[in-house]
Amino acid sequence: MQVTTQAHNDGTDLLRQETTLRFQAHGRQYENTFLQSYLRKDGTEAAAPTGAEVGEAFHPSINQWLADQNSPLRLYLAHTPDAQSVYGNERLGLLIMTAQQRELWGTGSYFLSQESHDNRYNSASVEKLLDWYTTLGLFSHLSAAEKTQGRQAALSGLQTSVAEVLLSYPKVIYAFDWESANPPYPYAAHTQALAAISRGLFVPTAIQDGFGTKFPTQPTIPYSFWLNGHVYRTKLTVHSDWLDSKFIDLINHALNAQKQAGKLYPCLDGEGYIFLTPAQHTLLLKRQPEMFKTPHEQTEELPF
């Protein structure tokens, strides 16, 4: 087993300390990175430590190993509330239980963590899924480093759905909150993020975002962009901090008008978009319909 720690600059007076846990078992390497703590850059302590500091997300790779053994057991964190937190900062317990044993504690309990007992997302199944996504071309625009980073994250033990597996990779699914129309220039930011997942087929320039640096006072704002020498524009409705979905419609209209081989499709119950060709969408819709359906419509069968 190997444990390493790195400090990252958050752009504040704090350093984010992350720990990576690696171990090998049954011919596989398991790895996950988690937040350990925050440190002051000047080396001072905000308060005296209250005991051993343990990053609470250290155990997913252990549970991934259990899933790979087709075990009914999972490792749970057992919190002991104290004066500092309902979760407790002074002591941390560990329990290993089956799903039926966990149910005895109730789902609303702060005492125990929530863990998935779904062995369908074991390492072998996720690797098979990643190979299929690669063949399908969903990672063709990513660098070697981004592919390596995504694969490690997908196999970390944190994924319990096909969408979460894809979200392990950068620039494949763009997830966002529709209630995020906040200055400055929210539509320009979302447009650039959507361009990043388009595998180079949507490269807008001269984006006009009439939202501006403050909340608009008028009922509509102008929105436009240039794509391959053509300008596309519309008026977006201002409704507090809610985004107007017409900006997505305009992007897809521009892609269709220029006969680009792909468009943006809603996923994650409408809280995200993925860029696909019609053939990719047809295959994913057939084999993984839960990516495009709301939770109550999802099927029980794993699509691989």
Side-chain angles (χ1 to χ4, degrees), residues 96-271:
I96 192 162
M97 295 184 292
T98 65
Q100 292 75 19
Q101 291 169 333
R102 175 64 179 87
E103 288 176 0
L104 297 175
W105 296 92
T107 57
S109 172
Y110 283 110
F111 175 57
L112 292 170
S113 59
Q114 300 289 335
E115 310 296 338
S116 171
H117 286 259
D118 189 349
N119 288 341
R120 298 176 303 170
Y121 286 91
N122 59 37
S123 296
S125 294
V126 172
E127 285 178 339
K128 183 179 179 181
L129 183 59
L130 296 181
D131 290 342
W132 183 61
Y133 285 151
T134 299
T135 302
L136 199 58
L138 299 189
F139 307 140
S140 61
H141 60 306
L142 302 182
S143 68
E146 289 170 333
K147 291 175 184 177
T148 298
Q149 171 193 340
R151 191 175 187 87
Q152 289 176 346
L155 291 166
S156 67
L158 294 170
Q159 284 62 40
T160 59
S161 71
V162 292
E164 288 179 351
V165 170
L166 277 177
L167 283 167
S168 301
Y169 286 75
K171 299 182 293 188
V172 176
I173 290 179
Y174 178 51
F176 63 94
D177 186 348
W178 282 103
E179 199 174 357
S180 61
N182 299 302
Y185 305 107
Y187 288 102
H190 287 300
T191 301
Q192 290 165 346
L194 290 167
I197 71 171
S198 72
R199 301 198 288 278
L201 294 181
F202 175 59
V203 186
T205 59
I207 301 170
Q208 181 193 21
D209 179 359
F211 201 96
T213 59
K214 297 180 180 180
F215 278 99
T217 57
Q218 62 271 33
T220 62
I221 58 169
Y223 169 71
S224 66
F225 54 82
W226 285 79
L227 185 64
N228 297 329
H230 297 271
V231 64
Y232 298 89
R233 56 171 56 94
T234 189
K235 292 284 187 180
L236 301 178
T237 301
V238 177
H239 183 62
S240 184
D241 57 353
W242 286 89
L243 294 168
D244 185 344
S245 63
K246 288 201 298 291
F247 88 101
I248 300 281
D249 297 336
L250 184 66
I251 294 173
N252 276 337
H253 167 73
L255 291 166
N256 181 65
Q258 298 199 11
K259 302 188 186 313
Q260 296 288 358
K263 60 178 285 189
L264 297 167
Y265 291 88
C267 58
L268 304 180
D269 195 21
E271 295 295 320

